[in-house]
Amino acid sequence: MVHQRHLWDRPDSAHARAVAEAAGRRIGRPVAHPADKIEYARLLKQQGSSLGEIAAKTGIPKTSLHRYLAEVNPAASTEGS
C-alpha cells in the first residue's frame, strides 16, 4: 500500500504556516461574514426583528443567521423543556 502525502504534511508548508501564524496572519478559509455584521444581527434580534428582516438588512442568509444567533445563547433552546 502506498502512503499518500498531503500538502499539509510537508515540512516546508508546516514551517510556512507557523511563520504566518506568528506574524498574526489568519490561516485557512476566509471569514464568510464579518464580526461587525454578526453583532449587528444579534442586536437586531434582541430588538425583536425577524430573521427575514435581519437577513435583508445585513445580507447574511437566514440559514447562517440561525447558526450565528444560536451560538450566542445555546441555553435559550432548552429553556422551554
Side-chain angles (χ1 to χ4, degrees):
M1 181 172 177
V2 177
H3 177 69
Q4 184 178 10
R5 295 190 71 189
H6 298 283
L7 288 177
W8 57 84
D9 290 335
R10 293 176 34 196
D12 55 335
S13 61
H15 179 295
R17 186 171 45 248
V19 169
E21 287 174 350
R25 289 189 302 256
R26 189 179 181 288
I27 305 301
R29 185 175 176 154
V31 175
H33 304 102
D36 60 334
K37 279 192 173 185
I38 297 169
E39 286 302 315
Y40 180 51
R42 290 178 180 149
L43 175 68
L44 292 173
K45 185 63 178 171
Q46 288 175 352
Q47 293 175 347
S49 296
S50 70
L51 289 179
E53 292 168 339
I54 297 170
K57 290 180 180 180
T58 62
I60 300 173
K62 288 196 300 186
T63 54
S64 297
L65 286 172
H66 281 287
R67 184 175 62 248
Y68 293 138
L69 298 176
E71 290 173 358
V72 175
N73 194 1
S77 63
T78 60
E79 286 178 2
S81 299

